[in-house]
């Protein structure tokens, strides 16, 4: 999914323990059960369907849905794309160590989200074509969105 060096702290701990330190060791040391449960929901997000639209529950707002419904002229695909749009950097913007390789970490997180969300939607909605799109804007910012392709 990504190289170990993306997380310098992990590689330092691994090297200090002569290779007898795994990602499971790292997670056990850095997090707790409640955080792990939060990440389970984060990487396997709940979905709601509103007026036939496939929407991320934790991102949903009735106010914005009504706004985008008008703005997108009730085009389901465009409503889903904009309602489910999120800047990857914003998922964890409060606890960032700016001295590290943040941009590389954001890229790795974006790829992980795309992979795991795609697998989770395929698992739950096998007969539907759910697309997880990861893309970079001209300014270099990375975004993720989800929508149903109705080909």
């Amino acid at each position: 999914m990504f190289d170990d060096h993306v997380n310098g702290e992990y590689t330092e701990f691994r090297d200090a323990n002569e290779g007898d330190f795994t990602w499971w060791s790292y997670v056990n040391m850095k997090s707790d059960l409640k955080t792990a449960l939060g990440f389970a929901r984060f990487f396997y997000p709940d979905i709601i369907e509103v007026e036939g639209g496939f929407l991320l529950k934790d991102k949903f707002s009735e106010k914005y849905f009504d706004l985008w419904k008008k703005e997108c002229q009730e085009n389901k695909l465009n409503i889903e794309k904009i309602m489910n749009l999120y800047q990857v950097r914003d998922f964890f913007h409060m606890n960032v160590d700016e001295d590290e390789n943040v941009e590389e970490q954001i890229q790795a997180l974006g790829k992980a989200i795309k992979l795991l969300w795609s697998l989770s939607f395929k698992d739950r909605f096998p007969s539907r074509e759910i697309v997880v799109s990861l893309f970079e804007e001209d300014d270099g910012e990375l975004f993720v969105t989800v929508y149903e392709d109705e080909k």
Side-chain angles (χ1 to χ4, degrees):
M1 188 176 322
F2 56 86
D3 291 331
D4 290 350
H5 80 276
V6 169
N7 182 335
E9 184 178 62
Y10 166 77
T11 56
E12 285 177 29
F13 289 148
R14 184 198 61 205
D15 294 347
N17 286 279
E18 299 176 8
D20 192 24
F21 188 85
T22 67
W23 280 101
W24 288 15
S25 306
Y26 184 77
V27 169
N28 189 328
M29 184 180 79
K30 296 292 285 186
S31 299
D32 58 28
L33 186 56
K34 293 172 192 163
T35 303
L37 290 171
F39 275 107
R41 291 284 188 167
F42 178 77
F43 286 115
Y44 202 96
D46 289 330
I47 297 300
I48 59 173
E49 292 195 49
V50 179
E51 298 181 25
F54 186 89
L55 303 171
L56 297 167
K57 180 180 176 186
D58 287 341
K59 180 93 169 71
F60 182 75
S61 158
E62 187 76 39
K63 173 184 161 187
Y64 289 116
F65 179 77
D66 291 339
L67 174 81
W68 286 113
K69 193 167 119 178
K70 290 177 189 170
E71 190 72 26
C72 295
Q73 300 173 356
E74 301 199 25
N75 179 296
K76 178 185 160 302
L77 179 66
N78 290 339
I79 294 167
E80 289 174 349
K81 285 181 176 181
I82 197 71
M83 287 290 297
N84 294 330
L85 182 68
Y86 208 85
Q87 189 171 356
V88 175
R89 174 184 308 280
D90 285 347
F91 279 119
F92 301 101
H93 65 277
M94 289 191 267
N95 296 310
V96 176
D97 183 351
E98 295 296 337
D99 294 336
E100 292 189 8
N101 54 342
V102 175
E103 297 308 316
E104 188 176 9
Q105 292 173 3
I106 289 168
Q107 290 288 327
L109 177 61
K111 290 175 185 174
I113 290 169
K114 179 178 179 170
L115 172 66
L116 296 171
W117 284 9
S118 295
L119 292 171
S120 80
F121 299 142
K122 188 173 186 71
D123 177 57
R124 289 178 282 170
F125 308 100
S127 63
R128 295 168 75 175
E129 187 65 33
I130 307 302
V131 177
V132 179
S133 176
L134 185 66
F135 62 94
E136 202 168 303
E137 287 288 306
D138 292 339
D139 64 359
E141 288 301 328
L142 192 63
F143 290 84
V144 64
T145 192
V146 179
Y147 57 93
E148 184 172 16
D149 191 357
E150 297 181 333
K151 288 183 180 178

